[in-house]
Amino acid sequence: MNRIGQVAAVAAMMLAPLAAHAQSGAAGGAAAGAVGGAVVGGPVGAVVGAGVGAVVGGISDAERPRFREYVVREKRPSYTYRETVRVGAELPASGVTYYDVPAEYGAKGHRYTVVNDRVVLVDPGTRRIVQIVE
């Protein structure tokens, strides 16, 4: 069991530079998820973490400021959420208004809303936050 911990620590050290140098939201999420997963669950955790960390079809780092400006121009009201706004949080079935993301931002399959004055991408099928756009 101690050997697994050592392997996880080495994997985390090797993958950390990838997380630091990733340039897009999905790549950064995948790298960060892999590092976190490796620390917690070893090699299997790295694979699962990479899959969870990647937001396929999310807003890229380069597009985030422009998308945020778009949302501000649209003057969308903010939904007050009593829980912590975080990736993976499930929003309520009623009371939240979801909006289409224009195709130019590349967030195919997701919708957006404003929660506690933060712009978030949501999986419309599960109402889970998949990305916080800051």
Side-chain angles (χ1 to χ4, degrees):
M1 195 60 141
N2 192 17
R3 180 89 171 131
I4 292 173
Q6 291 171 342
V7 171
V10 170
M13 287 187 294
M14 290 173 44
L15 292 172
L18 292 174
H21 294 293
Q23 294 183 10
S24 74
V35 171
V39 170
V40 174
V44 172
V47 172
V48 172
V52 170
V55 179
V56 177
I59 306 288
S60 72
D61 291 346
E63 290 293 327
R64 285 181 188 191
R66 196 167 69 88
F67 179 69
R68 184 127 174 74
E69 289 173 13
Y70 163 80
V71 174
V72 169
R73 280 192 314 271
E74 293 294 306
K75 297 181 181 175
R76 302 297 190 192
S78 181
Y79 174 79
T80 302
Y81 186 57
R82 295 177 191 240
E83 305 295 325
T84 302
V85 177
R86 61 174 175 71
V87 172
E90 184 178 323
L91 297 176
S94 63
V96 183
T97 304
Y98 301 99
Y99 307 96
D100 291 328
V101 178
E104 65 192 270
Y105 297 105
K108 186 176 180 180
H110 296 96
R111 301 193 75 198
Y112 80 92
T113 192
V114 181
V115 179
N116 296 350
D117 296 318
R118 299 175 80 186
V119 179
V120 298
L121 285 187
V122 179
D123 178 330
T126 64
R127 300 182 320 277
R128 289 194 187 279
I129 296 173
V130 296
Q131 185 178 22
I132 299 171
V133 182
E134 298 186 295

